Amino acid sequence: MVSRGTIVQSNTPDVLRGRVAAAELIVGQAGPDVGNMRGGLIAGATSGLVALVSGGLLCVGAVALVGATTPGLRRFSTTASVEDR
C-alpha cells in the first residue's frame, strides 16, 4: 500500500492531490474487506482450497492485466525526479 501510494502521489498534479489521496484511502481500506467477502462466499459455496486457489489466480490475473494495460507503470522509476517525467 505504501509503494502504491507513493507512486500515485508522485504522479498526481498538486491541484488534484487531495482528491486522489481520498480515493486512494477508500480503495486501501475497502479492498481487503471486499477480498475477504469474496473468499468467504467462494469458501461457503465450494471449499477453502477453491477459495484460496481462485483468490491467488485472481491476484495474478489482476497484476497481469494492470501490467499489460499501463506501460507507464512498468517503466516507473524512483531514480528520476518528478520534473523529469
Side-chain angles (χ1 to χ4, degrees), residues 49-79:
L49 181 61
V50 171
L52 180 68
V53 171
S54 66
L57 291 173
L58 281 170
C59 287
V60 170
V63 169
L65 180 67
V66 169
T69 58
T70 54
L73 186 59
R74 289 192 313 266
R75 291 188 303 268
F76 182 79
S77 172
T78 57
T79 58

Side-chain angles (χ1 to χ4, degrees), residues 28-57:
Q29 301 238 337
D33 292 334
V34 172
N36 290 339
M37 182 181 71
R38 185 219 53 88
L41 290 172
I42 298 295
T46 58
S47 70
L49 181 61
V50 171
L52 180 68
V53 171
S54 66
L57 291 173

Side-chain angles (χ1 to χ4, degrees), residues 8-9 12-26:
V8 168
Q9 291 298 313
T12 301
D14 288 338
V15 297
L16 298 175
R17 194 159 287 155
R19 292 181 183 133
V20 170
E24 181 78 20
L25 180 66
I26 291 169

